[in-house]
């Protein structure tokens, strides 16, 4: 075949897969076979015949779109025109040829013709080097139907019209060939700008993107061409990835906002993993807050066991989880079983401990009751014999031995920790003989007490054993308690002793704060205040405590003097 004929065939084939309004669906091949099989009709205007064949024109279709097959001769006044195919790239017609139209008349033409008809049309023309097919855009004067720049750019989305680059998106059988326009992409993305216009700019008209999902890439292009957001539950994560890859922060923000609105306890762990992967700290923070508020439901969700170890660690480190520690341990064991399976390990206690790694040390076994510990962790085989013995000793003897696990209580409350001090001055000495120090109090608004501040020894660094309680005065019900210990440094400072769980305190209800200490003489407070008000710096909200004498044996503690100088709480 002659070179000129080959180029002409290429020009026709590029046009052959034009769809309605020139917006063809993506194809995996460079040239698609047309759907119609229309024959050529004689050209209007009495065109000269050559070798018994007329110059073809297709019939009217698609509302007046124009496509003209014109015989051309060289002309100094008319510069050469290149054939624009449906692929968007300039066709292979000889670019060094000049062309001039032999007729000024225009007629409606169809954009759909078969490969055979296109080849026949090419064959009907003289094979002179001065002959070339000249095509206008598949949809003539489409610009006039779009009244705004936004409408015109939106029309070009996923459209072969004027396109000058194609993306092969996806991999395997799912690859889609998507047309685009370098200018539009470069305007919306610094990554595309560098790709097409930077120092290492590509000259290729086809770019492979095997790591991007076609639906997500189309959502990105839709946004760049029209500011329209097309995301859903199935595509939001892949679209977020694509928006980050091509540095389109506005679309990123839309994806994150969508995820925020659809955040629930049953998907919080899955979204937390994705937020950490995509470096979205705001979304990660919202996921963690949701897990704090709905810890039990989030742990029970199917997606919990799919998280990675770092995400598990990030959750177990939190002081604000709202669940008992024994349930956290059970969830960690379920995760370890799933992780062992992913690593193709047998789910033995040894392998569970191995895959848990640093997460095991974040389970706060001292916060469990001795019954919870004995029925679960002690028999799991995950803890070593030495760890089991030390924890049993921690639960049962005084003074309590040191354990390797955190004993700081978790508080399922958000916001800032607050505290009030009811004494104006500190003195010494205050003795202990097994009697509890007690003070009655009430508040003006609902709060959660998480611990007390207590005075320590006047004889230097010392360890104390202590039992703290909050008792409902009218019913004499113990609402919260902890049998623990604390170390002091011999100063007149207070030392924090915390409950295992926050204790809800309702307004205008009387409660008794109780502390039973075992240890040497301590400092004590004087010049006590009957009313103490805490004002939140940010909101100005006032929490007012009223203290009263607790009837009965209270080791001498009263409103004016004694122990329990501080109450630590959340509003």
């Amino acid at each position: 075949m002659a070179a000129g004929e080959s180029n002409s065939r290429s020009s026709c084939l590029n046009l052959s897969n034009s769809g309605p309004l020139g917006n063809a669906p993506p194809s995996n091949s460079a040239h698609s076979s047309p759907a119609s099989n229309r024959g050529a009709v004689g050209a209007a205007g009495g065109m000269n015949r050559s070798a018994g064949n007329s110059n073809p024109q297709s019939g009217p279709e698609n509302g007046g779109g124009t496509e003209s097959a014109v015989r051309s001769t060289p002309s100094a006044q008319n510069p050469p025109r290149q054939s624009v195919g449906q692929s968007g790239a300039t066709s292979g017609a000889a670019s060094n040829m000049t062309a001039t139209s032999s007729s000024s008349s225009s007629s409606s033409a169809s954009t759909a013709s078969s490969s055979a008809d296109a080849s026949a049309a090419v064959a009907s023309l003289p094979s002179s080097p001065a002959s070339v097919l000249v095509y206008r855009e598949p949809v003539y004067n489409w610009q006039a139907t779009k009244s705004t720049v936004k409408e015109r750019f939106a029309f070009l989305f996923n459209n072969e019209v004027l396109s000058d680059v194609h993306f092969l998106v996806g991999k395997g059988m799912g690859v889609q060939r998507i047309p685009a326009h370098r200018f539009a992409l470069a305007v919306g993305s610094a990554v595309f700008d560098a790709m097409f216009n930077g120092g290492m700019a590509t000259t290729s008209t086809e770019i492979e993107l095997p790591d991007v999902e076609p639906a997500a890439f189309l959502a990105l292009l839709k946004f760049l061409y029209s500011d329209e957001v097309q995301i859903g539950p199935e595509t939001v994560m892949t679209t977020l990835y694509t928006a980050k890859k091509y540095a389109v922060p506005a679309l990123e923000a839309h994806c994150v906002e969508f995820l925020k609105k659809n955040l629930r306890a049953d998907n919080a762990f899955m979204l937390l993993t994705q937020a950490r992967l995509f470096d979205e700290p705001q979304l990660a923070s919202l996921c963690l807050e949701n897990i704090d508020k709905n810890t039990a439901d989030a742990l029970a969700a199917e997606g919990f066991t799919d998280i990675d170890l770092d995400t598990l660690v990030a959750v177990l480190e939190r002081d604000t989880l709202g669940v008992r520690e024994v349930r956290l341990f059970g969830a960690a064991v379920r995760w370890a079983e799933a992780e062992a399976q992913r690593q193709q390990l047998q789910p033995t206690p040894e392998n569970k401990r191995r895959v848990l790694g640093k997460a095991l040390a974040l389970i706060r076994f001292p916060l469990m009751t001795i019954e919870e510990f004995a029925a679960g962790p002690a028999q799991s085989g995950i803890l070593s014999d030495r760890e089991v013995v030390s924890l049993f000793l921690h639960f049962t003897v005084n003074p309590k031995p040191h354990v390797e696990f955190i004993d700081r209580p978790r508080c399922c409350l958000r916001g800032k920790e607050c505290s009030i001090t009811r004494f104006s001055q500190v003195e010494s000495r205050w003795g202990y003989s097994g009697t509890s120090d007690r003070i009655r109090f009430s508040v003006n608004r609902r709060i959660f007490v998480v611990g007390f501040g207590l005075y320590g020894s006047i004889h230097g660094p010392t360890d104390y054993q202590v039992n703290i309680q909050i008792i409902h005065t009218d019913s004499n019900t113990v609402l919260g308690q902890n049998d623990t210990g604390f170390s002091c440094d011999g100063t007149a400072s207070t030392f924090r002793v915390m409950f295992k769980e926050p204790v809800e305190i309702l307004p205008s209800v009387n409660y008794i704060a109780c502390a039973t200490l075992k240890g040497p003489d301590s400092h004590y407070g004087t010049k006590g205040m009957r009313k103490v008000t805490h004002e939140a710096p940010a909101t100005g909200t006032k929490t007012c405590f009223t203290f009263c004498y607790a009837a009965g044996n209270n080791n001498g503690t009263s409103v004016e003097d004694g122990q329990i100088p501080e109450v630590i709480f959340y509003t």
Side-chain angles (χ1 to χ4, degrees):
M1 183 183 293
E5 184 180 356
S6 173
N7 287 339
S8 297
R9 288 178 183 271
S10 176
S11 299
C12 291
L13 289 173
N14 280 339
L15 279 167
S16 64
N17 70 338
S18 172
L21 297 179
N23 194 356
S27 168
N28 291 342
S29 62
H31 310 296
S32 300
S33 298
S36 73
N37 191 23
R38 304 173 69 89
V41 297
M47 187 88 59
N48 291 334
R49 295 175 179 270
S50 173
N53 293 322
S54 64
N55 204 22
Q57 269 191 343
S58 56
E61 193 174 330
N62 288 336
T66 303
E67 216 180 75
S68 301
V70 183
R71 181 175 180 181
S72 304
T73 57
S75 169
Q77 289 79 22
N78 294 301
R81 290 187 62 189
Q82 294 177 323
S83 302
V84 181
Q86 185 64 5
S87 68
T90 57
S91 76
S95 61
N96 62 336
M97 296 182 183
T98 56
T100 180
S101 175
S102 62
S103 171
S104 60
S105 62
S106 63
S107 61
S108 299
S110 169
T111 61
S113 62
S114 70
S115 302
D117 290 339
S119 299
V122 173
S124 70
L125 291 174
S127 59
S128 164
S131 298
V132 65
L133 289 177
V134 180
Y135 294 95
R136 295 194 178 103
E137 281 69 24
V139 179
Y140 176 71
N141 201 21
W142 61 266
Q143 296 89 340
T145 67
K146 314 299 177 187
S147 60
T148 65
V149 172
K150 181 178 180 180
E151 288 179 336
R152 290 191 284 276
F153 269 86
F155 172 79
L156 295 176
F157 161 68
N158 197 21
N159 196 328
E160 297 286 357
V161 173
L162 301 179
S163 67
D164 55 2
V165 66
H166 285 79
F167 292 91
L168 302 179
V169 187
K171 54 188 175 182
M173 298 298 293
V175 172
Q176 289 191 26
R177 189 170 185 270
I178 299 174
H181 307 76
R182 295 170 185 255
F183 173 76
L185 301 189
V187 166
S189 161
V191 175
F192 283 127
D193 190 19
M195 182 186 295
F196 299 133
N197 306 310
M200 302 291 289
T202 180
T203 58
S204 175
T205 58
E206 284 199 347
I207 299 170
E208 295 184 1
L209 302 177
D211 63 323
V212 177
E213 288 291 326
F217 192 72
L218 286 170
L220 175 72
L221 295 190
K222 185 74 171 177
F223 185 76
L224 293 180
Y225 279 79
S226 65
D227 285 336
E228 291 184 31
V229 180
Q230 288 187 341
I231 52 178
E234 299 82 9
T235 61
V236 60
M237 297 311 307
T238 53
T239 302
L240 176 59
Y241 166 77
T242 308
K244 279 188 166 291
K245 177 182 175 73
Y246 292 104
V248 185
L251 183 57
E252 287 181 43
H254 283 292
C255 292
V256 171
E257 190 62 30
F258 180 90
L259 292 171
K260 289 179 188 176
K261 291 179 180 178
N262 290 274
L263 176 61
R264 306 182 306 274
D266 61 358
N267 64 17
F269 273 107
M270 182 273 291
L271 292 183
L272 175 60
T273 301
Q274 298 296 322
R276 287 166 57 83
L277 176 65
F278 292 137
D279 191 25
E280 288 289 345
Q282 185 184 24
L283 177 60
S285 178
L286 289 173
C287 291
L288 289 169
E289 288 182 13
N290 188 285
I291 292 169
D292 286 344
K293 291 188 293 184
N294 307 284
T295 309
D297 291 338
L299 292 175
E302 185 177 347
F304 165 71
T305 56
D306 296 328
I307 65 176
D308 60 280
L309 177 60
D310 288 340
T311 301
L312 178 65
V313 167
V315 172
L316 293 180
E317 286 176 337
R318 296 177 68 77
D319 291 332
T320 48
L321 299 176
V323 69
R324 294 192 64 81
E325 207 67 24
V326 69
R327 295 194 64 178
L328 270 184
F329 175 76
V333 171
R334 283 194 296 111
W335 179 89
E337 291 170 351
E339 180 64 15
Q341 186 175 7
R342 284 191 287 269
Q343 297 186 22
Q344 298 182 337
L345 300 171
Q346 291 296 319
T348 62
E350 294 78 12
N351 285 335
K352 292 177 187 176
R353 181 182 180 109
R354 173 184 167 187
V355 298
L356 279 169
K358 57 187 176 182
L360 181 62
L362 300 175
I363 303 292
R364 304 182 186 184
F365 296 101
L367 300 186
M368 300 179 186
T369 65
I370 188 172
E371 294 80 11
E372 290 172 338
F373 179 76
Q379 300 184 48
S380 67
I382 294 176
L383 296 174
S384 68
D385 291 344
R386 181 178 57 82
E387 290 167 339
V388 171
V389 170
S390 69
L391 283 165
F392 269 123
L393 291 174
H394 175 82
F395 289 125
T396 56
V397 303
N398 287 313
K400 295 184 181 298
H402 172 72
V403 293
E404 298 176 359
F405 299 97
I406 302 169
D407 62 356
R408 183 176 67 254
R410 299 187 194 268
C411 174
C412 58
L413 303 172
R414 299 176 305 283
K416 188 174 181 180
E417 181 182 283
C418 309
S419 65
I420 55 98
T421 301
R422 65 188 191 95
F423 295 121
S424 302
Q425 189 172 317
V426 181
E427 299 287 351
S428 57
R429 80 185 35 184
W430 198 261
Y432 304 100
S433 58
T435 304
S436 301
D437 288 271
R438 308 193 310 158
I439 188 70
R440 185 157 56 98
F441 72 97
S442 63
V443 292
N444 66 327
R445 62 195 303 267
R446 180 174 178 252
I447 63 169
F448 291 86
V449 173
V450 295
F452 299 144
L454 302 179
Y455 290 120
S457 173
I458 60 175
H459 302 295
T462 309
D463 291 336
Y464 281 87
Q465 295 301 309
V466 60
N467 175 277
I468 59 172
Q469 295 181 337
I470 290 184
I471 302 169
H472 186 272
T473 302
D474 292 342
S475 64
N476 204 34
T477 302
V478 177
L479 302 179
Q481 67 173 334
N482 191 16
D483 190 8
T484 183
F486 71 94
S487 298
C488 64
D489 59 7
T491 68
S493 303
T494 57
F495 301 91
R496 292 160 59 93
V497 182
M498 309 299 283
F499 290 101
K500 289 187 175 183
E501 294 182 346
V503 181
E504 183 181 23
I505 303 298
L506 299 177
S508 304
V509 177
N510 288 318
Y511 301 89
I512 294 175
C514 178
T516 307
L517 283 80
K518 294 181 180 178
D521 293 349
S522 73
H523 295 90
Y524 72 97
T526 63
K527 298 185 177 179
M529 296 171 281
R530 184 170 296 275
K531 289 194 175 184
V532 181
T533 300
H534 176 276
E535 183 173 346
T539 63
T541 303
K542 294 182 179 181
T543 304
C544 183
F545 285 76
T546 301
F547 293 97
C548 300
Y549 178 79
N553 193 344
N554 50 33
N555 200 40
T557 288
S558 65
V559 174
E560 294 80 15
D561 305 288
Q563 260 283 15
I564 317 180
E566 290 182 351
V567 179
I568 305 168
F569 66 99
Y570 282 76
T571 57

